[in-house]
Amino acid sequence: MSFEVFWQLPPNGDGRSADKATWTRGDHQAARRPQNPFARHGGDETYTYFDHLVQIVRAADLAGYDGVFIPQTDEGEEPLVTAGALARDARRIRFAPELPAHFLSAVYTAKIATSFQRLSGGRLILNLVTQDPAVNTWHGYDWSEDEQVARHDEFLTVFKGFWNDGPYTFEGQYYEVLNGGFAGPLKGQPQPEIWLSGTSEAALELNAKHADVHVVEASSPEAVAERIQVLDALAGRKLKYALRAEPTARYTEGEAKAAAVHARSPQAGDEALVGDYEQVARRLTQYLDAGVSTLVLGARPHLEEAYRTAQHVLPRLPGWGVAQLAQIAAE
Amino acid sequence: MVQFHWRLPTHGDRADVALPHDTRGDWRELQPGNVSPAVQAPSPYHEHLLEIARSAEIAGFDGALIPSFPHTDDPWVVAASIARHTKSLRFMLAFQPPWINPVYAAKAAATLQRLSNGRLLFNIITGGGGPGQLWWGDRIAHDDRYTRTTEFLDVFQGVWNGGPFSYDGKFYKVKDAGLPHPLAGQVRPELYFAGSSDAALKAQGKHADFNLTHMEPLEKLRAKFDRVRELASQDGRNVLPAIRLNVLARPTEEEAWAEVRRGWANADWDAIEAQRAGQRRGDAIGSPIPEHLRPTKDKDPRDLQIDGFFSGLGILGAQGSPLGIVGSYETAAERIDTLIGLGVGGLILAGTPHLEEAQRVGEEVLPLVRGRQPLRLAAE
């Protein structure tokens, strides 16, 4: 079984518990809690929260992950700029920053993405999200989910056409392009893989039309299997599926349950992902068996848990590490 | 102001103290659990060492020791690489003087100071003698070794700010030497000097800034620190005591001891006994842990404490003295304050795994140490 594992970055601060008021990493919670005067990842002019994010990205790179997922958060850093800042600090892994495409020009996003591909050796994933309508209002728009999805549809049509089919002309409801397309060194970069998510009918239709990878939250392997069946049927082709999950894994189930009380996000989903290393690995394997091919995992504190997961959980997944060993043997 | 250093595990590391063997780095046979981190091209274990250095730096440590053992990567090379990818972290290079000519060592050190903006320190090791010393190709009488170390440092300091410097010693002869511009006149690296014998303590008085010792029972430390001060003052200098020790701190006492018990249950006791037998060779003085505090499989770990320090950390993969700190964050900070109260001016702390524990000790323990000054005042 071949699968990939991504780790999640915390763009809005981090700590040892899920309670933001206790977070000591980053200055996003500074107003709520005085910073540790000894640590250097606050608002210091020399050290910023990005130095800590670099640590997590390097942990993912070194511990054998295939990529990092950077979510949208209200108070957190902008994911695409964050990815650009971090790309040079990791040599292998791919970057999946969540983008609210309905706020962005399709052409300009293609421009940014091409530059990212050039600087990173083709490691960008175009990971579009549909935002909470309240966030849209905050940005000065009043768009329903259906309208966001309709904009995404045109956005992706233009993005792909501009990238691959220049000179490219398009006239739609939201976007218009005349004789677009890259020239010179920007032309011919690998087009980023497209990741989409969503649960509404409109969102699933958008996924069916445009997604290379559909991102699904960890509810249960059965529910994910059903989603896969529905979406593949709707698309008339086989999509790839990425699972977002927050495992809480320890040596014993008791320790995991105790840790989950304070460390696990309230919206973390599948409770069966709290357990000893073997139990969590078995549960993740059930998702892989259901048809998931990318695990997007995250847990607090993100630096330490990246290592714990890579050293205790991932080696218990069938096939993990074997490919790397074979590669080392071949060198 | 007390210096707080962390340690870079150039000898390998393990994912946690419950494991009976190392799982990080390529010193063991590769298998799925230790392919990562960082032993596959293009990311050798060195990349992981750099990540530990950065965590130590960000979590608030002043510097990091880069140890030197026969099977570790060389500290000069590791230091040079880490220097370019850290901002404020000082790096303490463990070094046995005779391996490099002192004028050339001064030149290399000056280059490190130039590229790192003066962040170099040395941990000067004179060596334990016996088969261990012969591995390095060094056959020399115990007391002569300190004469050689002293001469080495005489020459090193003599040429540091430029010449002409001439020296006619038993081991080193130099004529009209001196670092040329622009190498001359860099910040002089502070010297942590390891050694416990009278010969060692006399030798360090002339050049050392710190006497570095592994953790021992407090009574022994007090006596040693008195001798350090007495012998250094004969040279009209002030040498501060410094301590290396391992720390296992958790939010509560119970959590910390639970980690110890798990490591105890998983330990490879046969291998530990075999290693102990090997360590009894050599002519270094030391082995300061009383027999009744030596860990064995059947002893309750909590019985192995003296002055509130635990003597069984060697069982959990700790390198260096087996005597160190186990307990809550508050306990750990109190023990560190106890050492500062004895006059300690420098601490080299370590914990397994070194990346995660650098974060933990820096974030949770050091802020509770009363004898420590903050890097800067908390935001007004």
Side-chain angles (χ1 to χ4, degrees):
Chain A
M1 181 170 15
S2 160
F3 60 94
E4 291 188 317
V5 186
F6 279 53
W7 190 248
Q8 179 163 299
L9 289 189
N12 58 341
D14 202 4
R16 293 178 191 280
S17 98
D19 177 4
K20 288 185 178 186
T22 68
W23 290 358
T24 53
R25 300 180 188 178
D27 44 352
H28 303 86
Q29 275 68 41
R32 279 173 245 174
R33 184 179 196 250
Q35 285 176 30
N36 176 350
F38 300 93
R40 295 186 171 108
H41 45 60
D44 187 280
E45 65 275 11
T46 311
Y47 298 86
T48 71
Y49 184 58
F50 286 93
D51 291 296
H52 181 61
L53 291 177
V54 167
Q55 289 290 94
I56 302 173
V57 160
R58 286 176 53 86
D61 203 36
L62 299 181
Y65 292 86
D66 299 287
V68 288
F69 186 103
I70 313 177
Q72 282 286 347
T73 53
D74 290 354
E75 75 280 29
E77 309 299 343
E78 197 288 312
L80 182 63
V81 172
T82 301
L86 303 176
R88 301 279 291 176
D89 285 295
R91 303 189 194 186
R92 295 187 305 111
I93 56 172
R94 297 200 287 156
F95 290 83
E98 280 191 339
L99 292 181
H102 48 285
F103 292 153
L104 303 170
S105 144
V107 171
Y108 198 70
T109 303
K111 171 102 173 156
I112 291 174
T114 290
S115 279
F116 196 106
Q117 295 298 62
R118 280 167 52 76
L119 81 85
S120 69
R123 291 187 282 142
L124 181 67
I125 289 161
L126 191 68
N127 179 16
L128 303 189
V129 286
T130 309
Q131 287 195 331
D132 184 326
V135 176
N136 290 336
T137 308
W138 183 67
H139 282 271
Y141 300 101
D142 185 16
W143 291 332
S144 66
E145 188 189 350
D146 279 0
E147 181 164 7
Q148 294 182 55
V149 167
R151 286 173 178 271
H152 285 168
D153 183 13
E154 285 197 12
F155 178 99
L156 285 166
T157 303
V158 171
F159 182 90
K160 292 178 190 172
F162 192 95
W163 194 290
N164 299 308
D165 304 327
Y168 179 73
T169 297
F170 179 85
E171 201 169 319
Q173 192 179 347
Y174 307 104
Y175 294 100
E176 230 180 286
V177 184
L178 181 63
N179 293 328
F182 294 122
L186 296 191
K187 188 181 169 71
Q189 288 295 317
Q191 186 212 297
E193 190 169 63
I194 292 166
W195 288 23
L196 300 173
S197 55
T199 56
S200 69
E201 202 174 314
L204 290 179
E205 275 171 21
L206 180 78
N207 275 266
K209 186 172 172 188
H210 288 293
D212 298 310
V213 176
H214 174 72
V215 183
V216 59
E217 304 292 328
S219 46
S220 71
E222 296 74 22
V224 169
E226 193 188 329
R227 173 78 58 80
I228 290 172
Q229 196 191 5
V230 167
L231 188 49
D232 279 351
L234 189 62
R237 65 188 168 103
K238 192 92 195 74
L239 275 69
K240 290 199 288 180
Y241 292 87
L243 179 86
R244 287 186 72 181
E246 184 177 333
T248 306
R250 297 292 186 273
Y251 270 107
T252 66
E253 189 179 354
E255 285 169 279
K257 286 191 164 154
V261 170
H262 62 84
R264 195 166 153 85
S265 311
Q267 68 279 13
D270 191 0
E271 290 291 326
L273 288 166
V274 178
D276 68 32
Y277 296 134
E278 198 64 46
Q279 289 171 321
V280 171
R282 272 206 301 274
R283 189 64 168 177
L284 290 174
T285 304
Q286 288 174 6
Y287 282 104
L288 294 172
D289 290 341
V292 166
S293 61
T294 302
L295 300 172
V296 179
L297 308 177
R300 295 186 192 285
H302 287 77
L303 173 63
E304 291 91 329
E305 290 299 311
Y307 274 105
R308 183 203 300 276
T309 306
Q311 300 215 283
H312 287 299
V313 178
L314 300 186
R316 291 177 157 89
L317 301 179
W320 177 261
V322 172
Q324 288 109 310
L325 278 175
Q327 189 193 332
I328 292 168
E331 275 158 10
Chain B
M1 190 165 145
V2 181
Q3 293 181 357
F4 284 85
H5 300 280
W6 191 246
R7 180 182 67 200
L8 301 185
T10 50
H11 47 290
D13 203 357
R14 60 190 66 182
D16 59 54
V17 293
L19 295 167
H21 51 69
D22 284 357
T23 56
R24 296 183 180 179
D26 37 356
W27 283 269
R28 293 186 79 249
E29 190 186 345
L30 295 180
Q31 45 190 291
N34 72 329
V35 174
S36 60
V39 297
Q40 52 197 324
S43 303
Y45 182 67
H46 179 78
E47 295 286 343
H48 182 61
L49 288 179
L50 173 59
E51 184 158 53
I52 297 169
R54 283 174 156 174
S55 267
E57 170 174 81
I58 292 171
F61 284 91
D62 301 304
L65 169 67
I66 310 173
S68 172
F69 300 106
H71 58 288
T72 60
D73 282 317
D74 179 68
W76 290 84
V77 177
V78 173
S81 157
I82 283 172
R84 291 297 290 168
H85 297 282
T86 48
K87 297 174 184 175
S88 70
L89 191 78
R90 304 179 70 188
F91 36 95
M92 188 187 296
L93 201 158
F95 177 56
Q96 293 205 37
W99 303 170
I100 299 181
N101 160 287
V103 179
Y104 197 77
K107 181 186 170 81
T111 294
L112 274 172
Q113 290 297 59
R114 281 164 54 76
L115 74 85
S116 71
N117 196 20
R119 290 189 275 136
L120 174 66
L121 308 122
F122 278 109
N123 170 21
I124 298 292
I125 304 164
T126 296
Q133 198 67 9
L134 271 170
W135 184 92
W136 296 97
D138 188 30
R139 183 193 296 276
I140 187 169
H142 188 283
D143 285 4
D144 259 3
R145 289 177 312 165
Y146 284 99
T147 305
R148 183 173 63 181
T149 297
T150 300
E151 287 192 5
F152 176 95
L153 293 171
D154 285 345
V155 175
F156 185 98
Q157 313 272 27
V159 301
W160 186 257
N161 287 319
F165 174 78
S166 295
Y167 191 82
D168 188 8
K170 183 174 175 185
F171 295 92
Y172 299 105
K173 292 181 182 16
V174 180
K175 193 163 186 312
D176 294 338
L179 291 183
H181 174 81
L183 299 179
Q186 301 298 315
V187 175
R188 188 183 70 84
E190 285 184 302
L191 303 181
Y192 276 64
F193 197 103
S196 300
S197 66
D198 275 350
L201 293 179
K202 277 181 190 146
Q204 70 176 359
K206 194 169 176 188
H207 294 294
D209 300 292
F210 295 87
N211 172 262
L212 179 60
T213 185
H214 285 287
M215 184 62 201
E216 297 180 21
L218 297 185
E219 192 183 338
K220 292 194 175 194
L221 286 182
R222 279 192 201 95
K224 181 181 277 188
F225 292 172
D226 286 343
R227 281 169 64 230
V228 166
R229 280 186 277 264
E230 180 196 332
L231 291 172
S233 65
Q234 289 177 359
D235 286 290
R237 296 183 74 256
N238 184 25
V239 177
L240 286 172
I243 296 273
R244 303 173 62 162
L245 78 166
N246 294 282
V247 179
L248 196 172
R250 291 293 179 270
T252 65
E253 297 288 327
E254 292 68 31
E255 285 169 271
W257 288 103
E259 293 272 335
V260 171
R261 286 180 203 287
R262 177 138 52 202
W264 221 250
N266 291 347
D268 184 346
W269 289 95
D270 292 342
I272 288 162
E273 280 306 325
Q275 195 187 359
R276 268 185 195 154
Q279 281 169 349
R280 290 194 187 104
R281 297 194 292 267
D283 63 350
I285 64 167
S287 303
I289 309 300
E291 191 59 36
H292 73 278
L293 291 175
R294 289 174 73 96
T296 53
K297 189 177 183 176
D298 51 336
K299 284 181 186 159
D300 180 345
R302 284 197 94 146
D303 291 340
L304 301 176
Q305 295 189 74
I306 179 167
D307 307 324
F309 292 85
F310 172 61
S311 66
L313 282 168
I315 303 305
L316 307 179
Q319 185 271 331
S321 172
L323 190 64
I325 298 170
V326 171
S328 66
Y329 298 148
E330 289 77 12
T331 297
E334 278 172 28
R335 299 290 177 270
I336 290 170
D337 270 321
T338 298
L339 297 175
I340 293 172
L342 295 183
V344 164
L347 286 146
I348 301 172
L349 305 176
T352 301
H354 288 68
L355 174 79
E356 291 92 325
E357 295 303 307
Q359 293 281 156
R360 186 195 296 278
V361 174
E363 289 175 347
E364 309 288 353
V365 177
L366 297 192
L368 304 176
V369 175
R370 290 196 298 273
R372 184 172 188 232
Q373 302 295 314
L375 298 163
R376 60 189 165 85
L377 292 176
E380 281 82 6

